[in-house]
Amino acid sequence: MLCCDTVCGFELASLQRGLLRNGRISSPSLAAAGGLGQDAPGTPSSGRWRKKSRVWCLHTEGGLTCLSRALTSWLLLPLFQLNQLEEAADAAHTFFMANPEHMEMQQDIENYKTMTGKVHLVDREAKPHMENYSTGVRHYDQEEYALAIESLERALRGYYTADVECRVMCEGPQRFEEYEYLEYKADLYEAIADHYMQILLCQHECVRELATRPGRLSPIENYLPLHYDYLQFAYYRVGEYVKALECAKSYLLFHPDDEAVLENADYYNSLLEETMDPETIKPREEAAKFLRRHKLESDLLQMGATGLGFVYTEPVTTCSSSLPLQVPSGVNSELADGPALSLGKKPAPKMDRELREGGSLLYSDVQFVYNSQQLNGTQRVLLDNVISEEECQELRRVANGIMLAGDGYRGKSSPHTPNEKFEGATVLKALKFGYEGRVPLKSARLFYDVSEKARRIVESYFRLNSTLYFSYTHMVCRTALPGQQEKRNDLSHPIHADNCLLDPEASECWKEPPAYTFRDYSALLYMNTDFEGGEFIFTEMDAKTVTASIKPKCGRMISFSSGGENPHGVKAVTKGQRCAVALWFTLDPLYRELERIQADEVIAMLDQEHLGASDLNINPKDEL
């Protein structure tokens, strides 16, 4: 009975939230205030208040979890106990769409799908306009232009409807968080102006709200204009030149200096001028009204910020272009004299530094295996013989003496999959155990020494112009748990990127917390091969298409840049134990690993005590 009450209560909460939204939207006065038919300005909110008013969010150490989707995670156990497995699968999927780093939920989803045979899961909190946009882009990429047009036009209609709803939800009591309300004093006119500006701020930022995928903090850049950019070329490809010109002119409202689309518009003019006057074709009215209102709101907010003394920064999500200007695949050769039509296939993620590789490996015994091209990617290298067989065996003995289950994951012994045990240890812990005599000191210092050797190789091979610092050093082992390996369909470590939040649905990698955005390069130095499974894999941004697979063995090291250009993961370890030294590096000295600095001090102290540091070829000031 308790489970039934819980489910009913959560369903009622979700229903009441929907009724509140629909009630506000159905109010004629409020709908008019938010509609595009009014040239008068509307109203946007501070990002913080907006998130708290429309959706309750919790800032946790794992990132941002929003209440509307947290409700679905709380529904899982009651639904499962009531044997409502299909509903539980949808609830799990809804939560996971906003929290893709939640690995346990990913495993739950696979279990529900296996139990129910359900293939297509429903996101109960999906944004229809964004779903249609993603569908349209997929059709566009597959050159299915008629289907792309249908989905993108539906996405546009949904966007403008969602815009009205978003703006209406801003109506109601407001307050600036930075105000001290116990000391807040204002006369009637000041209070009215203050209230109106907060409503205006809420509504103005709807452009950010509608362009942000569930669970993300950053919006998709240039989101609304991109609809028109995709449409102008799609309409051209199906021979509807009037609509192609209309959409090109609509896009140019947002980006009047975009040379590629300007050329496209001129080309469409030339196709139409024999049958009609192209000047009679105007940009779409809803786009013109939207932009006119947005600019007027921005002017009012800037003026209000000066008069009322609050800080305001204009969002750039409407006016920043992220697509390159390039010719798409499949353009007919007869267009050679026409414009360079925009919207080619989406490129690989941009790197924020010059890409170079092929530098010296520094050590004569280190063997080059594959470069980026051979590994089908960017900034990748595979090396062998980085450490010897004897050093591998010595590191394994150290691992057995110092490793702790769940180290680095708050003691969770199975942080990535329930089918394996995860153990780890830091270089400082190794040195501490060595100093205390709990493991051989020489072996503990070997961990320190080989990690420094790896750092020097990575810095040299990728020909970096500045010092590469340790960001985190971790010796890790993954052990297959007996009796849990049959019919495994999970990964030992799910596909991810090391300095951004991978979003396969959007083909984006969001460089924002809780990701370690300061990491620049990564490396994995393997210690053994006596296990089954555990291959390291690179994938495309879809987190499905494998581009390279690497079998670990003693002395082998894979290194790569840490961004969204290199999604990677580890296949299931199905037998035995797989051990490696995991290394992350940064070019920013502000993010140097604190434990590494402390380890340097321990090494310096040991050298001063004449414990043979010179024989081990260790430089205590390796990072200074």
Side-chain angles (χ1 to χ4, degrees):
M1 187 65 182
L2 178 60
C3 290
C4 183
D5 290 343
T6 302
V7 172
C8 293
F10 283 144
E11 293 288 359
L12 180 60
S14 180
L15 175 62
Q16 288 175 335
R17 184 166 58 88
L19 289 174
L20 172 63
R21 181 179 64 86
N22 294 336
R24 289 189 174 183
I25 293 167
S26 64
S27 168
S29 60
L30 294 182
L36 285 174
Q38 305 294 321
D39 287 343
T43 56
S45 118
S46 84
R48 296 177 194 166
W49 181 89
R50 172 174 51 79
K51 286 190 174 73
K52 291 180 180 177
S53 64
R54 297 192 184 115
V55 179
W56 291 94
C57 293
L58 301 174
H59 287 272
T60 66
E61 294 180 355
L64 189 72
T65 300
C66 294
L67 180 58
S68 62
R69 289 179 180 265
L71 284 172
T72 61
S73 71
W74 298 332
L75 276 169
L76 286 177
L77 181 59
L79 287 170
F80 179 78
Q81 292 180 343
L82 291 171
N83 202 34
Q84 298 180 18
L85 299 182
E86 291 196 4
E87 290 79 0
D90 289 340
H93 176 68
T94 300
F95 179 80
F96 184 72
M97 290 300 294
N99 302 274
E101 300 81 27
H102 201 292
M103 302 310 170
E104 293 178 4
M105 189 65 73
Q106 185 180 40
Q107 183 64 43
D108 288 342
I109 291 172
E110 295 302 322
N111 292 337
Y112 286 131
K113 289 169 69 175
T114 300
M115 287 187 288
T116 63
K118 188 171 184 177
V119 177
H120 300 292
L121 302 180
V122 177
D123 182 355
R124 298 177 62 178
E125 293 286 336
K127 296 180 178 180
H129 69 279
M130 196 160 278
E131 295 291 310
N132 287 322
Y133 173 78
S134 297
T135 301
V137 172
R138 282 197 298 270
H139 285 310
Y140 181 94
D141 287 341
Q142 294 166 8
E143 300 184 5
E144 299 169 344
Y145 296 110
L147 293 174
I149 290 169
E150 181 181 346
S151 294
L152 289 168
E153 291 286 15
R154 189 162 53 244
L156 272 177
R157 293 191 296 271
Y159 180 93
Y160 287 119
T161 299
D163 179 65
V164 173
E165 296 177 1
C166 175
R167 296 168 69 82
V168 166
M169 292 299 289
C170 291
E171 301 288 344
Q174 303 278 337
R175 55 187 280 164
F176 276 138
E177 292 185 356
E178 57 265 33
Y179 282 13
E180 176 51 66
Y181 275 83
L182 293 177
E183 301 178 1
Y184 179 68
K185 296 179 180 178
D187 61 27
L188 176 62
Y189 295 105
E190 289 175 334
I192 291 173
D194 194 4
H195 174 78
Y196 176 72
M197 293 308 295
Q198 291 172 66
I199 295 286
L200 184 65
L201 183 60
C202 174
Q203 290 183 341
H204 192 64
E205 286 218 346
C206 281
V207 66
R208 176 181 291 272
E209 170 84 9
L210 299 182
T212 303
R213 288 186 174 274
R216 300 279 70 88
L217 300 178
S218 303
I220 299 174
E221 291 186 41
N222 203 30
Y223 179 67
L224 178 58
L226 278 177
H227 289 70
Y228 297 108
D229 201 2
Y230 280 112
L231 282 169
Q232 58 94 13
F233 185 63
Y235 273 122
Y236 165 76
R237 292 306 299 266
V238 299
E240 296 193 39
Y241 304 138
V242 172
K243 290 186 176 180
L245 181 56
E246 177 188 66
C247 290
K249 288 185 175 182
S250 299
Y251 177 86
L252 290 169
L253 292 175
F254 298 90
H255 301 288
D257 298 323
D258 190 314
E259 293 183 3
V261 180
L262 283 169
E263 290 180 0
N264 289 2
D266 289 340
Y267 184 68
Y268 303 149
N269 280 332
S270 69
L271 295 175
L272 293 169
E273 59 189 3
E274 292 184 3
T275 58
M276 63 180 299
D277 181 6
E279 294 301 320
T280 62
I281 301 173
K282 303 297 182 184
R284 292 193 179 179
E285 184 62 22
E286 75 271 11
K289 287 184 176 180
F290 180 93
L291 195 57
R292 186 162 59 246
R293 184 192 67 194
H294 191 81
K295 289 181 177 179
L296 181 55
E297 287 176 350
S298 179
D299 292 341
L300 286 172
L301 283 167
Q302 297 288 359
M303 183 171 59
T306 302
L308 295 175
F310 65 89
V311 177
Y312 171 70
T313 303
E314 174 68 20
V316 296
T317 55
T318 301
C319 303
S320 59
S321 178
S322 61
L323 281 182
L325 306 180
Q326 55 183 312
V327 181
S329 60
V331 174
N332 295 333
S333 59
E334 64 191 55
L335 297 180
D337 297 327
L341 295 169
S342 65
L343 283 176
K345 300 296 183 185
K346 191 163 186 177
K350 296 179 181 178
M351 297 282 289
D352 54 6
R353 58 186 172 274
E354 183 182 359
L355 301 185
R356 297 191 298 178
E357 59 181 275
S360 170
L361 298 179
L362 300 179
Y363 301 88
S364 59
D365 51 345
V366 175
Q367 178 184 351
F368 170 83
V369 182
Y370 294 133
N371 60 18
S372 295
Q373 183 177 5
Q374 293 164 317
L375 290 169
N376 302 313
T378 302
Q379 293 279 274
R380 302 173 181 178
V381 65
L382 182 65
L383 307 172
D384 277 345
N385 299 332
V386 175
I387 56 177
S388 66
E389 185 68 38
E390 292 75 18
E391 289 171 322
C392 286
Q393 293 174 4
E394 189 67 26
L395 289 174
R396 288 292 300 278
R397 286 192 287 270
V398 173
N400 291 333
I402 67 174
M403 282 200 168
L404 180 68
D407 185 74
Y409 290 92
R410 296 201 179 98
K412 294 181 66 175
S413 60
S414 301
H416 304 302
T417 169
N419 302 307
E420 298 175 19
K421 180 174 71 172
F422 180 94
E423 299 171 286
T426 64
V427 68
L428 182 62
K429 182 179 179 181
L431 288 173
K432 180 175 181 293
F433 275 41
Y435 188 74
E436 294 172 351
R438 298 163 70 176
V439 297
L441 180 58
K442 182 178 179 181
S443 301
R445 292 180 66 153
L446 178 63
F447 181 13
Y448 177 96
D449 201 19
V450 298
S451 59
E452 165 59 12
K453 182 179 182 180
R455 184 198 68 82
R456 293 189 63 203
I457 292 171
V458 173
E459 181 183 82
S460 176
Y461 178 81
F462 289 113
R463 301 168 63 192
L464 303 177
N465 292 325
S466 55
T467 301
L468 194 64
Y469 302 97
F470 287 99
S471 167
Y472 191 48
T473 311
H474 207 204
M475 184 183 289
V476 298
C477 289
R478 306 167 186 272
T479 306
L481 295 178
Q484 296 183 210
Q485 303 307 313
E486 290 187 12
K487 298 181 180 179
R488 278 190 66 178
N489 56 10
D490 63 342
L491 296 175
S492 176
H493 198 132
I495 304 301
H496 63 286
D498 286 342
N499 71 7
C500 52
L501 303 177
L502 188 63
D503 187 347
E505 294 255 333
S507 293
E508 294 281 358
C509 204
W510 306 101
K511 205 164 184 179
E512 61 187 35
Y516 300 100
T517 57
F518 48 84
R519 291 178 176 171
D520 294 297
Y521 284 89
S522 309
L524 290 155
L525 177 58
Y526 298 109
M527 295 158 49
N528 67 312
T529 190
D530 54 339
F531 56 89
E532 294 181 8
E535 292 88 351
F536 177 94
I537 54 174
F538 286 114
T539 72
E540 298 283 5
M541 291 282 283
D542 62 7
K544 297 177 182 178
T545 307
V546 176
T547 58
S549 179
I550 295 148
K551 177 66 177 176
K553 70 175 186 177
C554 167
R556 172 164 286 179
M557 184 173 81
I558 180 69
S559 182
F560 48 93
S561 54
S562 302
E565 66 279 358
N566 282 319
H568 59 279
V570 179
K571 289 187 176 180
V573 178
T574 56
K575 184 178 180 181
Q577 185 183 65
R578 173 192 191 271
C579 294
V581 176
L583 302 157
W584 293 272
F585 306 104
T586 179
L587 293 168
D588 189 341
L590 293 176
Y591 292 99
R592 294 172 65 187
E593 181 183 11
L594 178 60
E595 286 205 7
R596 187 75 191 195
I597 296 173
Q598 294 172 327
D600 293 340
E601 294 172 351
V602 171
I603 291 295
M605 180 186 68
L606 294 175
D607 283 348
Q608 290 173 0
E609 294 178 2
H610 306 288
L611 294 180
S614 59
D615 294 334
L616 291 172
N617 191 28
I618 296 176
N619 178 9
K621 299 181 180 180
D622 61 300
E623 294 183 302
L624 301 180

